[in-house]
Amino acid sequence: MFKRLATAVLTAALIAGLGACGRGADAPENGPNHTAGNGSSGSGSSAGQSRPDAAATADASVFGLLDATRHRAAVTTRATRPRTTKKCTTVTRRVRHSTSSGSGSKRRTRTWYSTEHSRTCKRVRSGTETYTRVLRPERWCVSLDDAGGNAKRDDVWYQVSRTTYHTAIGTDRHARLRFTPEHDGC
């Protein structure tokens, strides 16, 4: 029992020490009891943090002020490729069946034949076909100022989905946007 109590005390002291050490350069400007927007003040490492919580960082969303939008149309060209068709062959086979009944000198064997059909197919080359080859896929892009709340990060481009792009078009310039990008840059 003494061992469990000592372990619990040591763990509590370690957590308190790490909580105090974690309030370095990222501590809020208004002191250790600054409210984090939820109306409660407290001490330790969980109150007044300027970092987003784990759930907000897990979804990888970005935010900032809308600067510009850009739609890049797909670039395609006509190309040819080998055309393949399915060629099937039917094979017939005569199969022998037999059954026996009785025993000893009264044993009788009955035999009959049937025809089984089987079909095998394979793809064979048969000329060429013309198709539309995509050289660059269609892209929808949004540029943010103050990306991530950092005033020095302006004109940061993100590739987004079509619905996010249309949402950005429908909002005013320098309106605050939050979305999950598909890729960085555009």
Side-chain angles (χ1 to χ4, degrees), residues 64-67 144 171-177:
L65 305 177
L66 175 64
D67 183 37
L144 294 179
T171 59
D172 295 330
R173 189 161 188 234
H174 294 294
R176 186 171 176 85
L177 280 181

Side-chain angles (χ1 to χ4, degrees), residues 102-173:
S103 62
S105 63
K106 305 274 185 185
R107 185 169 184 89
R108 299 180 94 175
T109 302
R110 187 171 84 93
T111 304
W112 71 97
Y113 295 90
S114 67
T115 304
E116 288 185 354
H117 301 280
S118 63
R119 186 175 182 185
T120 57
C121 298
K122 61 182 178 179
R123 310 264 326 156
V124 294
R125 189 171 170 172
S126 174
T128 59
E129 66 181 353
T130 304
Y131 72 103
T132 302
R133 191 172 105 198
V134 178
L135 298 176
R136 184 185 73 201
E138 188 172 19
R139 293 181 186 159
W140 298 273
C141 305
V142 173
S143 172
L144 294 179
D145 286 343
D146 298 343
N150 185 351
K152 294 181 180 178
R153 290 191 65 207
D154 289 340
D155 299 324
V156 180
W157 284 95
Y158 296 101
Q159 185 176 337
V160 297
S161 66
R162 181 187 302 205
T163 56
T164 304
Y165 173 78
H166 287 296
T167 302
I169 287 177
T171 59
D172 295 330
R173 189 161 188 234

Side-chain angles (χ1 to χ4, degrees), residues 37-111:
N38 58 3
S40 65
S41 64
S43 61
S45 64
S46 63
Q49 283 188 345
S50 61
R51 294 182 189 167
D53 60 343
T57 57
D59 67 348
S61 64
V62 296
F63 63 93
L65 305 177
L66 175 64
D67 183 37
T69 58
R70 178 189 305 159
H71 175 246
R72 302 184 97 188
V75 176
T76 60
T77 186
R78 303 293 288 168
T80 58
R81 63 183 169 203
R83 179 174 175 252
T84 58
T85 57
K86 187 160 92 169
K87 183 177 181 182
C88 299
T89 57
T90 304
V91 177
T92 58
R93 186 175 73 136
R94 189 170 181 209
V95 180
R96 180 179 183 225
H97 306 278
S98 64
T99 183
S100 298
S101 62
S103 62
S105 63
K106 305 274 185 185
R107 185 169 184 89
R108 299 180 94 175
T109 302
R110 187 171 84 93
T111 304

Side-chain angles (χ1 to χ4, degrees), residues 5-27:
L5 182 63
T7 305
V9 169
L10 182 62
T11 304
L14 183 62
I15 289 172
L18 289 175
C21 291
R23 305 208 26 99
D26 63 341

